[in-house]
Amino acid sequence: MSAVAPGMAVQSASSPVRNMRAADSDADIIACAAEWHAHLHSGEAVNEDYTNFECWRTQDIRHAEIYARMEKLWARSVSYTHLTLPTNRE
């Protein structure tokens, strides 16, 4: 693996988060965390993606905190998959 410039995460060709600098705003971090979450849970991630994710996650404490909150939210939402939504009745 090549050296990583400060603030950069090297991404594999399959990763959805390519050439992304360390985000400054929480909104940017949330968007990046969502992309990582979707990719890592897609079944298409390769070992290099997990390594690159860890690089991104450890770049900034906010990355780790926001990703952890996203994982908790996802885990809670999965527990509601048995529920059905009401249908519109006219």
Side-chain angles (χ1 to χ4, degrees), residues 52-71:
N52 291 331
F53 165 71
E54 281 302 313
C55 178
W56 172 82
R57 193 180 65 80
T58 59
Q59 281 177 340
D60 187 319
I61 189 67
R62 296 173 302 161
H63 294 186
E65 291 170 349
I66 289 172
Y67 191 83
R69 285 187 295 197
M70 184 170 294
E71 282 284 314

Side-chain angles (χ1 to χ4, degrees), residues 20 23-33 56:
M20 183 166 278
D24 291 324
S25 74
D26 283 353
D28 290 339
I29 297 171
I30 290 167
C32 193
W56 172 82

